[in-house]
Amino acid sequence: MLRTRFIIIALLLVPQMVWAQGYFERIGWIEPGNTNSMALQYPQLVEELYRNNGEQLIWFDLQQSSQLEFQLELIDNAGVNPLLSNHLKKMRFYRKSNRWYEYDLLATDSMIAYMSYAQLAKQHGKQWFFEDRIMQSLPPPSEQALQSLYASVQSQQLGALIDSYTPDSESYQSLIKTYLRIASEREEIVPLYIQDTHLKRVGDILERRDALLARLQQVDIDLFGVNSEISYFDNQLELAIKQFQRMHGLKPDGVIGPKTIRWLNESSNDRLKTIAINAERTRIWPKQRNTLIVVNVPSYELTYWYGGEAVFESQVIVGRETRQTPVMTTNLDSIILNPTWNVPWKIMVEDIIPNVQRDPEYLARQNIKIITSWTSSELINPNLVDWQGTNPKAFPYRMRQMSGASNALGLYKFNTPNKRAIFLHDTPSKHLFDKESRAFSSGCVRVKHADRFATLLLENQGLNIEQIELADTESNKAIPLRRRIPVHIIYQTAWAEGGVVQYREDIYRLDH
């Protein structure tokens, strides 16, 4: 299927490419019949650029061409644009072969494609970075962008133009710094760390302590004060292991077990791919941090920003792999106190009805009522339902869990109207926040310390927090916010905090 799509794209572009090829053959830049020039995605724009530039080379400054190649390398390692990956491969071949005219043409074509990619990422990035790769040429960048390219060629300021289309956040810069360091060291042979017992802790002998230290150094763990001459697990090494565990979202207990070993033995190439895709994803996340809520799914964390500061941070529980919490943007418009829960059809069919078939008292114990429809308050007696003979998918009614201590939404629902019915809420299962991995929900986001979160949201909007205290027994008490708050649910498995890159498990396998 993909092969067919490439053939169709190539056939559509052949007339333009051949025409441009003829021009560059006439001025002596490529040999007649050289089919490599057929790789140009924007042949007419490329020809126009060189005509306007007096048929002179554009990429004679190796620093600027290396800067472009690096951006293409990130995109290549992220695996999002096979066409640019192919361009990069050919550019490097031409450079090593000293075929500078062909290199120049392909670099110019790649620059146009990179500008288009950067401009469209905000609009299409969620698809590119989480669903489908870019399998065909992108439309040319805007007219204004092309004018900037013409001007940059004339003033020989292509490096500044590349910078203007590249993320500039501190987190991005830290990711790139780490990427460059790992890339510069990846040819070094670092042995895997292996231990003879399931767990290692302070006081144990370490047969491969040298390999352990080398693996820790790969991710810039501070080994100051760690003695490299001894062969046992000492207190200083324990501090380094805890630092490594925090960096990877593990329980910082200082014990070397299977999860810690797996992260220790992560290859340089895999880390580079993880950093690359997450660096590219920074193009689509919100830049302003005035007032918004960010949920990062792989880190199981929520951050509420107000007035440019992070005023509330909390652990969260997200959707399990079979019911993933989606990457999305919505708005928080109200807080619902003592909410009832309209059970989604999928959960009713796949979870609740099978539970009732096994345990007739399940509905009563969970305080779940059967209703004829969402718009009706008519109740159906569960004792009149033939549960064993019921096909869950053909069940004609709906279910609603009444408010109370056992309600799946807890005591607070943070309402974010959207087609996917994804929202934030409290939970009665607070023991789950003690887990390292917290992908347990059916897609919605459960918030630890939901009471504090609700109070802070109301305070910052100048609303009366006494309404919370007055709503102890009232169901579905809605408190509308005066100003809606953007909620961004993101998926970032690598990011920087204080200049240090943090890594998390790719729980939905969306990185590669």
Side-chain angles (χ1 to χ4, degrees), residues 371-379 400:
I371 54 179
T372 56
S373 69
W374 296 134
T375 58
S376 172
S377 58
E378 181 183 351
L379 298 179
R400 175 175 292 149

Side-chain angles (χ1 to χ4, degrees), residues 57-68:
L57 291 175
I58 291 174
W59 298 93
F60 52 84
D61 185 330
L62 291 180
Q63 182 175 348
Q64 293 182 145
S65 61
S66 295
Q67 191 176 345
L68 174 61

Side-chain angles (χ1 to χ4, degrees), residues 162-399:
I162 295 170
D163 281 343
S164 70
Y165 283 88
T166 302
D168 59 358
S169 66
E170 289 185 14
S171 181
Y172 176 85
Q173 297 301 329
S174 294
L175 286 172
I176 296 308
K177 181 180 178 181
T178 299
Y179 181 98
L180 291 170
R181 182 188 57 74
I182 294 175
S184 68
E185 299 172 354
R186 67 175 151 183
E187 301 303 324
E188 299 178 10
I189 299 176
V190 180
L192 297 178
Y193 173 70
I194 302 172
Q195 59 190 31
D196 59 351
T197 58
H198 187 66
L199 301 175
K200 290 285 188 180
R201 49 175 52 89
V202 170
D204 290 341
I205 297 297
L206 296 172
E207 298 81 1
R208 303 293 303 279
R209 183 183 166 104
D210 55 340
L212 175 59
L213 296 183
R215 286 278 158 182
L216 291 172
Q217 285 179 317
Q218 278 194 313
V219 290
D220 269 354
I221 294 299
D222 183 9
L223 297 179
F224 180 77
V226 176
N227 189 341
S228 60
E229 303 299 324
I230 61 178
S231 60
Y232 63 92
F233 198 154
D234 63 328
N235 292 325
Q236 289 301 116
L237 180 56
E238 182 188 37
L239 294 177
I241 293 297
K242 288 181 177 179
Q243 182 186 352
F244 179 87
Q245 290 170 330
R246 282 190 291 270
M247 179 186 287
H248 295 85
L250 304 176
K251 182 180 179 181
D253 57 9
V255 177
I256 305 176
K259 291 182 180 179
T260 301
I261 292 174
R262 190 188 70 76
W263 277 112
L264 283 167
N265 289 331
E266 181 91 346
S267 72
S268 294
N269 284 336
D270 284 344
R271 286 193 186 272
L272 289 175
K273 288 182 179 296
T274 296
I275 293 173
I277 183 61
N278 284 284
E280 291 305 301
R281 285 173 182 161
T282 63
R283 297 177 182 275
I284 66 175
W285 307 141
K287 292 184 178 180
Q288 74 86 12
R289 289 290 191 271
N290 184 23
T291 301
L292 79 163
I293 296 165
V294 177
V295 175
N296 185 18
V297 173
S299 70
Y300 310 110
E301 291 178 335
L302 173 149
T303 304
Y304 167 38
W305 295 78
Y306 180 75
E309 296 183 4
V311 296
F312 178 80
E313 295 177 315
S314 173
Q315 296 176 334
V316 297
I317 294 168
V318 300
R320 52 189 180 271
E321 188 174 355
T322 55
R323 297 181 186 174
Q324 300 177 7
T325 299
V327 174
M328 61 182 294
T329 301
T330 182
N331 289 288
L332 174 60
D333 68 358
S334 60
I335 299 174
I336 312 298
L337 308 179
N338 297 319
T340 57
W341 180 40
N342 291 332
V343 180
W345 185 86
K346 185 174 183 179
I347 296 176
M348 180 181 72
V349 168
E350 296 182 2
D351 299 341
I352 295 182
I353 293 179
N355 282 334
V356 178
Q357 290 172 333
R358 290 188 294 268
D359 177 9
E361 300 302 317
Y362 181 83
L363 291 179
R365 192 166 55 253
Q366 296 297 322
N367 201 15
I368 295 175
K369 307 294 184 184
I370 303 175
I371 54 179
T372 56
S373 69
W374 296 134
T375 58
S376 172
S377 58
E378 181 183 351
L379 298 179
I380 303 298
N381 187 342
N383 296 323
L384 300 180
V385 177
D386 178 14
W387 293 107
Q388 300 307 319
T390 293
N391 176 358
K393 293 185 178 180
F395 192 69
Y397 307 120
R398 295 292 179 263
M399 293 184 180

